[in-house]
Amino acid sequence: MSSSITLSAATRQNLLSLQDTAALAATNQGRLSTGKKVNSALDNPVNYFTAVGLSDRASALTDLLDGVSNGIQTIQAAAKGVDAVTSVVKQMQSVVTQAQSNATANLPKLQGTRALATAGEATATGKSIYDVTMGKTLAGTAAAATSSTPGVVGINTANANQMQLSAGFTTYKFDIGSTDTVSDLVNNINKSGIATATIDVQGQLQITGTGSDTLSVGLGKTTSGAFAVDATETAKLTGGATPSAAGGTSAQRSTLVGQFNALRTQLDQAARDAGFNGTNLLAGDSLSIAFNEKTGAAKSKLDIQGTSLSASALGIGEFKDSATAQLGADIGIQNNADLTKAADALSNALANLKSISSTFGSNLSTVQNRQNFTKEMINVLTTGAANLTNADMNEEAANSQALATRQSLAVSSLSLASQASQGILQLLR
């Protein structure tokens, strides 16, 4: 404003008021157009820089949500893989159960060919051949049973005072006492756990293995720590020199070999296919999920170490069409003891899978909780930044109306102040 121009006090006051109103209107229009009351550090340095810090952290957490989401999908993929493997293991259990259903056909049976008692002895004693046989004494000079004596089988304990049974990797041995009877012999065999014995209607000894391994039976004695079978003494019981019997072969079991091994392959494939975005926790991969934007000791994260899941890792071997007990985890399907081993291995595998599934479930719950927490934090930070910088649009709209009225009044007042000067001008004319 040029100092050479003289304005009245009233005019100058009204002019200043109009200028203030115009400045306020400009500020009001800026807030209405941007929606913010603080657009730069010039407006309010404290609020501006505080809001920038809050917004930057909200943005950093937003970026981390993508990694958290991928982590959740990776864990879920692994959990689905465990479910698939569990289903396969249960199918494998069904195959083992089918194989075990015809166990009797695979048991080795050793049938004696010597009658330990005769029909004549049964007549003389008034007993059955079975009862006569069970009552006979094992050791001593062979003698027929009479109405007053039980009879003697005729085992020479000087040559053979022990009986040994062998099946697979198991050996059972027991002593023959001087007063032991055939009944005692049968009972001792039944205690072995690897065979059962009975006397048939003809008075012959019959021994059946409890497993599918070849069963060997012999009478003899231990010398210098080694047991030696005496064929002659053994023949007095069985009719054979050194009797042994192998288990049978089941065609039904043979057909299950391919089925079981195919399921085993499916188990491995299901575990290999349980990855997400290049990370497979069932292949031993590790996963690290970050929950905050900090580094070093202040960094919040969850580290998950996967496990190499496979049939071998679970202790599930292959099926072999064999009656021989297999070493390691492999299973001879014609061998009853091996099938029991397979059933136990599958039960242990299910327990391990349950533990793995529980671990993944716990990890998934943790990550999902942190995901929800992060979303809430982002909302809190964004809202906090907005509270510091956003304008109250209702207030600014009301201010706009008030400023318009004020500006109109200022113009009117300026006009009235100018009219006083015009009156003086009239007098000069």
Side-chain angles (χ1 to χ4, degrees):
M1 184 184 299
S2 174
S3 60
S4 61
I5 300 175
T6 301
L7 299 176
S8 66
T11 299
R12 185 178 297 281
Q13 183 61 42
N14 284 311
L15 181 58
L16 289 174
S17 178
L18 188 61
Q19 289 174 335
D20 289 342
T21 301
L24 290 174
T27 300
N28 176 255
Q29 291 299 317
R31 290 178 178 179
L32 287 173
S33 62
T34 62
K36 292 181 176 293
K37 65 182 178 183
V38 178
N39 286 291
S40 69
L42 297 177
D43 297 329
N44 187 322
V46 174
N47 283 16
Y48 177 78
F49 286 113
T50 301
V52 168
L54 294 175
S55 296
D56 287 346
R57 188 176 181 214
S59 178
L61 291 177
T62 300
D63 292 339
L64 289 176
L65 277 179
D66 291 336
V68 173
S69 178
N70 283 340
I72 289 175
Q73 297 305 116
T74 301
I75 297 172
Q76 287 181 332
K80 294 298 182 183
V82 173
D83 291 343
V85 169
T86 299
S87 178
V88 173
V89 171
K90 290 180 178 179
Q91 289 179 270
M92 298 170 87
Q93 280 186 316
S94 178
V95 173
V96 172
T97 300
Q98 291 182 58
Q100 289 177 316
S101 65
N102 64 345
T104 304
N106 294 72
L107 297 179
K109 294 181 176 63
L110 195 155
Q111 177 64 54
T113 58
R114 181 192 177 197
L116 301 180
T118 65
E121 289 176 299
T123 301
T125 58
K127 300 178 181 179
S128 67
I129 294 178
Y130 172 84
D131 289 335
V132 172
T133 304
M134 292 292 280
K136 278 193 171 184
T137 302
L138 292 171
T141 303
T146 67
S147 59
S148 60
T149 60
V152 180
V153 173
I155 303 298
N156 184 351
T157 54
N159 298 326
N161 61 354
Q162 293 176 318
M163 171 172 270
Q164 177 174 284
L165 300 93
S166 299
F169 303 110
T170 304
T171 298
Y172 183 82
K173 184 168 56 177
F174 61 89
D175 294 333
I176 296 176
S178 59
T179 60
D180 284 356
T181 64
V182 173
S183 178
D184 294 324
L185 178 78
V186 169
N187 290 334
N188 282 324
I189 293 175
N190 291 338
K191 292 177 183 178
S192 69
I194 61 175
T196 59
T198 187
I199 300 297
D200 64 15
V201 294
Q202 295 177 324
Q204 297 172 338
L205 177 64
Q206 184 182 82
I207 302 175
T208 304
T210 56
S212 301
D213 292 305
T214 297
L215 176 66
S216 298
V217 177
L219 287 175
K221 62 180 180 180
T222 301
T223 303
S224 301
F227 180 81
V229 174
D230 188 303
T232 300
E233 300 302 325
T234 301
K236 293 177 182 178
L237 277 179
T238 64
T242 52
S244 65
T249 299
S250 167
Q252 178 185 352
R253 287 186 175 185
S254 298
T255 62
L256 295 176
V257 173
Q259 184 178 340
F260 185 91
N261 290 338
L263 288 172
R264 190 175 184 275
T265 300
Q266 288 299 315
L267 187 157
D268 291 341
Q269 292 177 351
R272 286 199 302 267
D273 294 339
F276 177 83
N277 197 30
T279 301
N280 187 352
L281 294 176
L282 299 188
D285 295 343
S286 59
L287 176 66
S288 182
I289 305 174
F291 298 130
N292 67 10
E293 75 285 4
K294 298 179 181 180
T295 59
K299 188 176 185 64
S300 177
K301 64 178 181 175
L302 175 66
D303 293 323
I304 302 174
Q305 178 58 54
T307 181
S308 297
L309 190 61
S310 65
S312 296
L314 289 172
I316 303 173
E318 293 185 0
F319 266 15
K320 309 290 185 181
D321 193 5
S322 172
T324 302
Q326 303 294 304
L327 296 176
D330 289 343
I331 304 299
I333 196 171
Q334 305 294 347
N335 187 288
N336 292 336
D338 263 20
L339 286 176
T340 300
K341 180 176 73 174
D344 292 342
L346 292 173
S347 295
N348 292 335
L350 286 178
N352 289 336
L353 289 170
K354 184 177 181 180
S355 176
I356 294 171
S357 181
S358 177
T359 300
F360 285 149
S362 176
N363 289 332
L364 180 61
S365 178
T366 298
V367 178
Q368 287 176 330
N369 287 338
R370 287 308 301 258
Q371 182 187 48
N372 293 333
F373 172 73
T374 300
K375 289 180 179 178
E376 294 294 336
M377 280 299 301
I378 291 172
N379 182 60
V380 169
L381 294 169
T382 303
T383 301
N387 290 339
L388 292 172
T389 59
N390 286 0
D392 185 337
M393 301 305 288
N394 292 322
E395 180 182 353
E396 298 304 328
N399 288 341
S400 178
Q401 292 294 327
L403 287 171
T405 300
R406 180 175 173 181
Q407 190 173 39
S408 178
L409 291 173
V411 170
S412 297
S413 297
L414 184 60
S415 176
L416 290 173
S418 298
Q419 288 178 6
S421 299
Q422 291 177 357
I424 296 174
L425 179 60
Q426 292 294 330
L427 291 175
L428 291 176
R429 290 180 179 174

